[in-house]
Amino acid sequence: MAVKILEIKRETCPATRLIGKKYVNGPNWNEWWENNWFAALETMKPLPFNADAYIGAVHIVNGMPEHWIGMFFPVNTEVPEGFEYVDIEPLDYAVCYLYGKENSNEFYAMDTHTMCLKALNDHGLKRKEDDWCFERCNCPRFTTPDEKGNIILDYGISIEH
């Protein structure tokens, strides 16, 4: 596997409003780029926990994965027309800083998720089952490759206290 974990940090996120679009059959990032939807969200004040990063998130609802694309905002942030939201309780996350080649599909593979779960276990952290996981595309570490052509994707997994 070419993607590796640079480090794991425990982060605490306050109550959050994820504003974006909900997907039942997997997220569609292409429609976000084609419709320039992030531009509308970028005019709003994001949650400091996340800064201005784009979020791909998933959690389990009624036994099925529910995917989201959007950004994190303070709870009670007004939702722009055409967008949906979900409020997320305060959660602790183990964030794996994944390092690999730009545009690698390995960032989003089940093997990478499994690798992160094993690393959490090795660090004495326990996943909060069926709760939120997120991909945080944070500029510039996600958008600007280093001299080796690698980027960093933040991969957060909700954990128990």
Side-chain angles (χ1 to χ4, degrees):
M1 175 171 273
V3 170
K4 65 180 182 179
I5 299 172
L6 288 181
E7 65 179 313
I8 298 174
K9 290 184 181 177
R10 185 183 186 122
E11 298 183 13
T12 299
C13 184
T16 304
R17 175 161 285 178
L18 174 55
I19 298 176
K21 305 272 183 181
K22 176 174 52 175
Y23 298 87
V24 177
N25 296 318
N28 185 344
W29 285 90
N30 286 335
E31 73 177 355
W32 278 78
W33 308 130
E34 292 166 4
N35 294 300
N36 201 24
W37 286 334
F38 283 115
L41 298 182
E42 288 172 338
T43 65
M44 302 163 47
K45 184 178 177 164
L47 189 70
F49 165 80
N50 192 58
D52 60 354
Y54 301 158
I55 298 292
V58 65
H59 70 142
I60 304 300
V61 177
N62 297 323
M64 298 298 295
E66 180 180 274
H67 299 267
W68 284 80
I69 297 176
M71 294 174 68
F72 286 155
F73 295 93
V75 174
N76 298 324
T77 298
E78 189 173 324
V79 179
E81 187 175 331
F83 291 91
E84 302 169 273
Y85 75 94
V86 60
D87 288 333
I88 302 171
E89 67 184 28
L91 287 171
D92 288 337
Y93 293 94
V95 180
C96 297
Y97 290 83
L98 302 175
Y99 182 74
K101 291 289 178 209
E102 181 181 27
N103 297 322
S104 170
N105 287 333
E106 288 186 33
F107 282 112
Y108 316 105
M110 198 63 193
D111 286 346
T112 301
H113 175 75
T114 302
M115 175 181 71
C116 290
L117 289 176
K118 181 181 179 327
L120 266 60
N121 189 53
D122 292 347
H123 282 80
L125 301 170
K126 184 170 174 28
R127 175 183 179 201
K128 194 171 180 187
E129 287 298 321
D130 294 341
D131 221 323
W132 289 94
C133 293
F134 66 83
E135 299 156 354
R136 181 170 58 194
C137 305
N138 202 319
C139 299
R141 65 180 171 258
F142 182 75
T143 56
T144 305
D146 66 12
E147 66 282 350
K148 296 177 183 174
N150 292 318
I151 57 169
I152 298 171
L153 174 68
D154 307 358
Y155 185 64
I157 300 172
S158 57
I159 55 174
E160 294 182 1
H161 294 289

